[in-house]
Amino acid sequence: MKVGDLIRDNGDGDFGVVTSQVCSYNTIEGPAGQYVWVKWSIFSKSQKMSMTAIEKGWVEVINES
């Protein structure tokens, strides 16, 4: 997944554009996961989205940039 990819939320059908590279975050216990920032059509600001959403099929890439 990269900046500019068009994605769709399979739950509500909303479309979004990826606005950041994949980032990682950690917790005290160790590595926790990865995320990207997405500009969804229903929100005025970009939202953090866990890459788990892609892995679980909740969100899919529609058009790669």
Side-chain angles (χ1 to χ4, degrees):
M1 181 165 295
K2 58 190 175 304
V3 174
D5 285 354
L6 178 65
I7 60 176
R8 177 176 55 211
D9 183 319
N10 290 324
D12 63 13
D14 190 25
F15 289 92
V17 176
V18 177
T19 60
S20 75
Q21 297 293 329
V22 177
C23 304
S24 296
Y25 61 94
N26 296 310
T27 65
I28 294 171
E29 293 82 24
Q34 296 182 316
Y35 65 92
V36 292
W37 287 93
V38 176
K39 175 59 180 92
W40 295 103
S41 64
I42 60 173
F43 294 107
S44 61
K45 295 182 181 178
S46 292
Q47 306 291 311
K48 188 187 294 186
M49 182 190 80
S50 171
M51 293 301 291
T52 302
I54 293 286
E55 296 164 11
K56 300 275 187 180
W58 302 329
V59 172
E60 66 180 313
V61 178
I62 299 300
N63 188 12
E64 295 184 16
S65 63

